[in-house]
Amino acid sequence: MKKFIPLLIVLLLVAIRLPAQTPKKALDHNAIAGWNRITETVISADGKWIVYKLQPWEGDTKAFLYNSKGEMLSEFDYAENLAISADSKTLVFKTVTPFEQLRELKRKKTKKDDMPGETLNIFKLEEKELLKYDNLLDYSLPREWGTYIAFQLKAVDTTATDIKTPDTSADDSKKLKKESSKNGYELKLLNLETNNILEWPFVKTYRFAKDSGKLVFVSTGDGDTFKPGLYLYDIEKGALDQLFETEGEIMNITMDDKGDTGVFIFKEDSKKDRYSIYRWRGNQPASMIVSDRSKGIPEGWLVSGNYTPQLSIKNDIIFFGTAPAKPEADTLRLEEEYPDVQIWHGTEGKLHTAQLYDKARDSRISYLAAWHDNSGEIVQLGSEDIPDISLINRGDSKYVLGLSNVAYELQSMWEGSPLHYDVYLIDLKTGKRELIKKDIRARVQASPAGKYLVWYSYPDASYYSYNISEKKEYRLTSPDKLALADELNDVPNYAGPYRPAGWLENDEAYLVNDRYDIWKLDPEARYSPVNMTVNGRESNTSYSYLAFDREQRYIDISKPLFLTGSNDQTRASYYYSWDASAKGTPKLLYGGEYSLSAPLKAKSANTVVFSKSTFETFPDLLLSDLKFRKEQKISNANPQQADYSWGTAELVSWISLDGMKLEGLLYKPENFDPGRKYPMIVNFYEKSSQGLYDYRMPELHRSTIDYHYYTSNGYVIFNPDVYYKEGYPGESAFNCVMPGITAIINMGFVDKDRIGAQGHSWGGYQVAYLATRTNLFAAIESGAPVVNMFSAYGGIRWGSGLNRSFQYEHTQSRIGATIWESPLRYLENSPLFTMDKVTTPILILHNDADGAVPWYQGIEYFIALRRLQKPVWMLNYTGEPHWPQEFKNKKDFQIRMAQFFDHFLKGKAMPLWMKEGIPVVEKEFKLGYELSEK
């Protein structure tokens, strides 16, 4: 034993000499404001370069450039709008005014025109050369080819760009034409290899062809040698051609991918909404193909200026918009003589408030028409009774698809979605309509190659197809053999399908998802559905097809495919490779007990960037390839996190009051001590336990508590899943949440006298309901809640103009009946009518511009508690919608909510705004954050 004594002495001496470890700080609201997010990530087509942007909630951005070896090459302050040229040789971004400098200029009330401009930065990746152009207006990079950039700058010294042009005044003097949004700005075309620049004056709009070196632009002309009109510049030939000379307005330009042909809308008279369609081929002048007087335009209709023309894939058909001519106002009637009245009609399809909300959109509505190149004929396709027209096979079909909900608009007021539709095939050459389906609750789509229509029918939870050429319908699935509807649906409405994977090439098969697996459907039902991933349900793994190319039209099974997977029980995430040409279990590549992002892949290389996270681990970027054997971390977004006390997340389970096994998430402070008694906040919405490994970005949230803030400040957080029974949403919340809280209390580390609850919108309703059923809670924050389902049923969602009745009959509110069919359900589920039972102090957040939950619900809540002389406070961020959006208001809300909970759950002193209030005459200069003396 003696031989160990010297060693023990040495260890003690070493321990004595070790510096004391700095205790970690509690997260505060200022620290959260500076928390970084990765808001832009770009990888070059060849996979050699990766650039990403860090952006705090408040402060300056910074971009970092890495190579495919994971080596950091450069960093750029104040960078935004990152892009890498298609040839992978150039990084382009803009830089903005530093945050503090901008604040100082605003303090000095600097005029907008005197504010510093943005800067265009062009960084050559191999040479590491940086070019800068100040006072940036905009820029554009070609999508598929990469040796040029086009951009425009604001002229600082306007005299430098002033050009003398004739004036029509009597003295025939000269006036100066200046760059402006009306006149346009100089367009610069920079060769990224040689740095040579071409310039054209007074350009209003411009765009590159997708696949070839062509640029079109519109100039108002310099009043001298450079004429106004539309121009085409062929970069390879170095040739500039004027396609159309005009001082009128050229708008809505479209061209094919190679820039060989294009079309635009022309408005000759700026004072009249009269339009015509022009087309050009090659470098030949554009010619008019459609006008209001063209044969085929319906009588009383005009060409629409609100629709951007489309070219068919073969460029042989031009699709454009038409619309009925707007009635002219009675010029003999004075404005003050016209009554300010709205006439709400009981049988009109769309509710009047929805009409008011949609007025701007509806006044711009266009109906599709087609101009045929081979005949010059115009065929009207869309109409007021069939407004929804979509192309089949990008216009290379005999038909277009027409959908109409017009006859069913009225009932959608109380049914909501899925909507009812009549389905038509409309002949492209004749305009003849063929009714395919009558009154189906499904959204019909065409297959990529245009052979089939396909839809999921909500009432019978089945997929159907329709062979367009053979005019034959097939039922592809039935729920008794293959369940494709959402298995967890708990609203009194039809369950929707899981998101399908997509079509195989040439419309060979359609891949759809059930809860776990991917199934192959034959579009003509010649064989039964085939389980392509085999073991998803058996292993509790939900597979999803991973499409790296978002523009792909079909799934190419001749190439290696990739899937993501998530385990329903463990919540772990995975990547898989998959051979879809043969039925088989996906091959596991990577994964574990964390949350994985969808990888970002280089277009022409196997390089990928992805992230993985847990509640404790920020989703920093990782660099790898498609084998995922090695990974390299290339970002460290928030190293300061190590300085703060954090927390942990775990899955917990319990039994509901009606016997269902439930799960939820429990968040504990760092260095959790099971022998302590912690305050706890219960926060929930519906179901959240699948987010076990979510990082939950620290944020000054608009509507909910920040989990990291509260765990860092010594709170436990409980987030239970809720399963609902039709007609009893409040009771369901009580049955699920309360035994969960009891289970946590029984673990021994939560102080049962210091438990709070917080929720917003639907969550706000549920915590308001719980407050009428239990005195367990020491404090509740309820944001934008419905407390009176009777009045809310007949209310309006002002953010859309829709009536709220569909919510109660069929969706989230889950009553499943009208107020006349089940009045007691509305009564029982309305907290307002049992508000006298409330003993909990309540903080309400409800804003006066709320477009989702009527503000009067918050007022009814506040007035009831005030009348009953219960402890209540209400926050109204004036002019804000369903939640605060301005950063200053979100920060204020988080500070006040934290002070509210700290007082009632931690025993801290009450802030002045809670103790005394803030009178209206003082609110411009008094916040009341100061804590009062106890």
Side-chain angles (χ1 to χ4, degrees):
M1 183 68 184
K2 291 181 180 180
K3 63 181 179 180
F4 291 102
I5 292 176
L7 178 59
L8 179 59
I9 293 172
V10 171
L11 291 174
L12 288 171
L13 290 173
V14 171
I16 291 170
R17 291 193 180 103
L18 287 175
Q21 185 175 2
T22 303
K24 290 187 176 183
K25 299 178 289 186
L27 198 60
D28 59 33
H29 296 104
N30 289 328
I32 293 174
W35 216 260
N36 281 316
R37 299 155 292 148
I38 300 174
T39 54
E40 295 182 47
T41 306
V42 179
I43 184 169
S44 62
D46 63 6
K48 292 183 179 180
W49 316 98
I50 303 95
V51 61
Y52 64 88
K53 182 186 79 177
L54 294 185
Q55 182 174 6
W57 296 107
E58 186 178 58
D60 294 314
T61 62
K62 184 186 288 286
F64 297 85
L65 175 66
Y66 280 75
N67 62 21
S68 57
K69 298 178 182 178
E71 300 168 335
M72 193 184 83
L73 305 177
S74 299
E75 58 182 81
F76 308 97
D77 292 329
Y78 323 119
E80 295 184 358
N81 291 27
L82 312 175
I84 296 178
S85 60
D87 63 1
S88 302
K89 293 182 179 180
T90 308
L91 167 66
V92 179
F93 58 95
K94 71 178 183 181
T95 50
V96 299
T97 307
F99 178 75
E100 287 299 332
Q101 181 183 344
L102 195 60
R103 287 184 65 187
E104 185 61 29
L105 290 170
K106 289 180 179 179
R107 286 193 195 100
K108 295 178 179 179
K109 302 189 183 302
T110 306
K111 294 180 180 179
K112 182 178 179 181
D113 291 342
D114 295 331
M115 286 288 193
E118 299 170 340
T119 298
L120 175 64
N121 296 262
I122 300 172
F123 184 76
K124 297 186 178 181
L125 292 164
E126 292 288 356
E127 298 87 349
K128 295 182 175 56
E129 295 178 0
L130 179 63
L131 302 176
K132 291 188 175 185
Y133 296 89
D134 292 333
N135 300 300
L136 175 69
L137 273 174
D138 52 56
Y139 72 87
S140 177
L141 278 171
R143 289 176 59 186
E144 303 294 339
W145 50 280
T147 56
Y148 285 82
I149 182 174
F151 59 95
Q152 292 179 299
L153 308 175
K154 292 181 182 178
V156 178
D157 181 6
T158 56
T159 60
T161 57
D162 290 343
I163 297 175
K164 293 183 178 180
T165 57
D167 190 7
T168 57
S169 59
D171 61 4
D172 198 30
S173 63
K174 302 291 184 179
K175 70 174 183 178
L176 300 177
K177 182 173 184 179
K178 297 181 179 180
E179 291 186 335
S180 65
S181 58
K182 179 181 178 180
N183 294 331
Y185 297 85
E186 184 175 72
L187 176 64
K188 300 177 184 292
L189 180 66
L190 172 66
N191 186 322
L192 295 171
E193 292 182 340
T194 66
N195 291 341
N196 291 334
I197 291 183
L198 294 174
E199 299 170 336
W200 297 285
F202 299 105
V203 172
K204 293 197 68 175
T205 185
Y206 60 97
R207 66 167 44 190
F208 286 109
K210 177 184 175 184
D211 293 336
S212 67
K214 293 179 181 177
L215 172 71
V216 295
F217 61 88
V218 176
S219 171
T220 62
D222 65 2
D224 190 8
T225 59
F226 201 83
K227 304 299 181 183
L230 178 69
Y231 288 83
L232 170 69
Y233 182 68
D234 189 318
I235 294 175
E236 184 177 344
K237 296 179 181 178
L240 179 68
D241 293 290
Q242 187 171 23
L243 302 176
F244 188 57
E245 182 178 345
T246 182
E247 292 185 353
E249 184 177 0
I250 295 171
M251 52 196 290
N252 297 20
I253 301 171
T254 299
M255 56 182 160
D256 69 346
D257 289 346
K258 295 188 178 299
D260 292 336
T261 186
V263 61
F264 60 89
I265 294 177
F266 176 55
K267 182 180 181 181
E268 184 174 1
D269 189 340
S270 62
K271 297 181 180 179
K272 294 182 179 180
D273 291 333
R274 303 296 291 271
Y275 306 92
S276 50
I277 309 290
Y278 280 72
R279 184 186 187 181
W280 82 86
R281 294 177 184 271
N283 62 351
Q284 298 303 304
S287 58
M288 186 175 70
I289 58 173
V290 178
S291 75
D292 295 336
R293 297 172 294 278
S294 296
K295 182 180 179 182
I297 301 293
E299 185 177 354
W301 285 37
L302 305 173
V303 174
S304 173
N306 300 315
Y307 183 90
T308 300
Q310 299 181 67
L311 293 162
S312 67
I313 192 171
K314 292 183 178 179
N315 294 333
D316 57 344
I317 303 174
I318 293 174
F319 299 96
F320 63 98
T322 61
K326 296 179 181 178
E328 296 183 1
D330 184 356
T331 57
L332 299 178
R333 186 188 296 270
L334 296 176
E335 184 178 347
E336 59 263 28
E337 296 176 344
Y338 208 86
D340 295 322
V341 61
Q342 299 174 1
I343 300 174
W344 295 24
H345 197 291
T347 62
E348 60 186 343
K350 186 187 291 188
L351 189 65
H352 203 84
T353 50
Q355 293 180 46
L356 292 170
Y357 180 81
D358 293 336
K359 181 181 178 181
R361 185 196 69 183
D362 289 348
S363 65
R364 297 169 57 86
I365 195 168
S366 301
Y367 302 95
L368 194 68
W371 177 85
H372 293 265
D373 185 28
N374 56 0
S375 64
E377 293 184 351
I378 295 172
V379 179
Q380 185 65 44
L381 303 171
S383 59
E384 291 177 293
D385 60 331
I386 311 178
D388 191 346
I389 306 294
S390 56
L391 304 185
I392 298 175
N393 194 22
R394 295 182 287 183
D396 187 19
S397 172
K398 183 180 178 180
Y399 303 98
V400 292
L401 172 62
L403 302 177
S404 178
N405 172 250
V406 174
Y408 314 105
E409 281 186 322
L410 178 60
Q411 66 205 68
S412 68
M413 184 184 96
W414 56 85
E415 287 184 344
S417 62
L419 300 177
H420 298 251
Y421 285 102
D422 294 335
V423 184
Y424 298 85
L425 286 174
I426 302 174
D427 193 293
L428 259 176
K429 290 186 177 180
T430 67
K432 181 181 178 182
R433 307 170 173 182
E434 182 180 355
L435 180 64
I436 301 302
K437 297 293 292 184
K438 178 74 173 174
D439 191 13
I440 62 170
R441 301 193 75 175
R443 183 72 185 184
V444 181
Q445 295 179 321
S447 58
K451 295 181 180 180
Y452 303 98
L453 303 179
V454 66
W455 64 92
Y456 173 87
S457 172
Y458 282 80
D460 60 7
S462 302
Y463 275 99
Y464 292 82
S465 70
Y466 182 87
N467 186 306
I468 294 174
S469 61
E470 295 181 1
K471 302 185 184 302
K472 188 173 181 181
E473 180 181 317
Y474 301 91
R475 183 171 185 170
L476 308 184
T477 66
S478 59
D480 57 328
K481 296 180 180 178
L482 177 58
L484 297 172
D486 181 3
E487 295 181 16
L488 300 181
N489 177 62
D490 61 1
V491 297
N493 203 0
Y494 298 119
Y498 294 93
R499 185 178 179 180
W503 285 86
L504 300 190
E505 189 173 6
N506 201 33
D507 294 349
E508 175 188 339
Y510 190 42
L511 302 186
V512 300
N513 285 68
D514 69 3
R515 183 177 176 182
Y516 298 101
D517 287 297
I518 299 175
W519 295 75
K520 182 167 74 171
L521 307 183
D522 179 80
E524 297 185 7
R526 289 166 292 201
Y527 54 80
S528 299
V530 178
N531 187 341
M532 300 294 288
T533 48
V534 182
N535 74 331
R537 188 169 294 272
E538 178 185 342
S539 63
N540 290 300
T541 301
S542 297
Y543 293 114
S544 295
Y545 170 62
L546 187 56
F548 291 122
D549 183 1
R550 295 183 180 181
E551 294 185 356
Q552 70 177 33
R553 301 180 65 233
Y554 58 83
I555 299 171
D556 185 354
I557 61 174
S558 67
K559 298 179 180 179
L561 300 178
F562 296 86
L563 306 175
T564 60
S566 60
N567 188 285
D568 268 6
Q569 293 184 340
T570 67
R571 278 58 171 180
S573 298
Y574 303 96
Y575 298 142
Y576 300 87
S577 62
W578 184 44
D579 182 3
S581 62
K583 182 178 72 172
T585 303
K587 179 183 178 182
L588 177 62
L589 297 174
Y590 185 92
E593 293 185 345
Y594 35 75
S595 177
L596 288 170
S597 67
L600 177 65
K601 178 185 173 297
K603 181 178 180 179
S604 306
N606 288 333
T607 307
V608 293
V609 175
F610 67 101
S611 67
K612 62 181 180 181
S613 64
T614 67
F615 181 71
E616 302 169 64
T617 307
F618 179 89
D620 274 305
L621 297 180
L622 304 172
L623 180 64
S624 188
D625 58 26
L626 287 175
K627 294 181 179 179
F628 294 98
R629 292 175 181 170
K630 296 181 181 180
E631 63 184 60
Q632 189 162 1
K633 184 178 176 181
I634 61 170
S635 73
N636 188 16
N638 292 290
Q640 78 279 10
Q641 180 176 319
D643 300 331
Y644 291 96
S645 175
W646 215 241
T648 60
E650 62 189 72
L651 199 63
V652 292
S653 62
W654 66 97
I655 303 298
S656 72
L657 292 180
D658 42 10
M660 181 184 299
K661 182 179 179 181
L662 300 177
E663 292 181 306
L665 300 177
L666 185 65
Y667 299 86
K668 299 175 181 177
E670 186 173 327
N671 299 322
F672 172 77
D673 180 358
R676 283 184 55 188
K677 294 288 188 179
Y678 291 88
M680 182 171 77
I681 295 178
V682 182
N683 169 265
F684 63 98
Y685 192 77
E686 292 195 0
K687 300 174 183 68
S688 303
S689 64
Q690 289 297 326
L692 171 64
Y693 296 113
D694 290 350
Y695 177 71
R696 287 186 171 269
M697 190 69 64
E699 178 183 354
L700 299 173
H701 291 273
R702 60 191 185 182
S703 61
T704 189
I705 60 172
D706 181 83
Y707 281 37
H708 295 297
Y709 172 86
Y710 283 91
T711 57
S712 182
N713 282 274
Y715 284 89
V716 169
I717 299 171
F718 178 43
N719 187 328
D721 286 349
V722 179
Y723 287 80
Y724 301 91
K725 291 184 178 180
E726 180 179 329
Y728 303 97
E731 183 77 13
S732 298
F734 184 87
N735 289 346
C736 292
V737 174
M738 298 311 296
I741 297 174
T742 301
I744 303 301
I745 293 173
N746 290 339
M747 294 178 183
F749 50 79
V750 167
D751 186 337
K752 65 180 179 60
D753 296 322
R754 295 190 293 154
I755 298 176
Q758 192 273 331
H760 191 87
S761 195
W762 181 240
Y765 156 72
Q766 292 174 100
V767 296
Y769 178 90
L770 293 181
T772 68
R773 292 288 307 274
T774 178
N775 61 2
L776 173 72
F777 297 108
I780 286 178
E781 192 281 326
S782 174
V786 166
V787 293
N788 184 350
M789 288 193 173
F790 276 100
S791 59
Y793 176 85
I796 299 295
R797 294 180 64 97
W798 295 108
S800 61
L802 298 177
N803 172 246
R804 297 177 55 83
S805 55
F806 71 90
Q807 295 179 233
Y808 297 88
E809 295 182 42
H810 293 289
T811 61
Q812 188 176 57
S813 298
R814 294 174 168 91
I815 298 298
T818 69
I819 57 175
W820 306 280
E821 293 168 327
S822 298
L824 289 181
R825 289 188 182 181
Y826 284 84
L827 180 67
E828 293 167 6
N829 287 286
S830 296
L832 183 70
F833 301 107
T834 48
M835 207 67 72
D836 57 321
K837 305 295 192 298
V838 173
T839 61
T840 305
I842 305 291
L843 173 64
I844 305 167
L845 165 67
H846 213 147
N847 300 327
D848 53 14
D850 194 327
V853 176
W855 186 41
Y856 58 71
Q857 290 288 320
I859 295 173
E860 289 188 49
Y861 196 7
F862 178 80
I863 293 299
L865 291 172
R866 177 182 167 95
R867 173 63 184 85
L868 293 166
Q869 299 184 43
K870 310 284 185 177
V872 61
W873 297 262
M874 181 169 169
L875 304 176
N876 168 29
Y877 294 93
T878 54
E880 290 274 41
H882 192 45
W883 35 53
Q885 291 185 327
E886 290 192 51
F887 183 82
K888 64 178 183 179
N889 292 337
K890 291 190 289 185
K891 185 174 183 179
D892 180 82
F893 168 57
Q894 290 296 327
I895 290 172
R896 296 189 194 280
M897 181 165 58
Q899 290 183 328
F900 171 76
F901 282 128
D902 280 350
H903 172 69
F904 287 110
L905 304 187
K906 283 189 168 184
K908 290 188 177 181
M910 184 178 281
L912 291 178
W913 68 269
M914 287 178 63
K915 185 175 183 179
E916 302 173 358
I918 305 292
V920 170
V921 294
E922 298 180 6
K923 77 181 189 69
E924 282 79 13
F925 53 86
K926 184 176 181 181
L927 293 173
Y929 293 157
E930 304 87 354
L931 299 183
S932 62
E933 295 182 3
K934 292 186 179 182

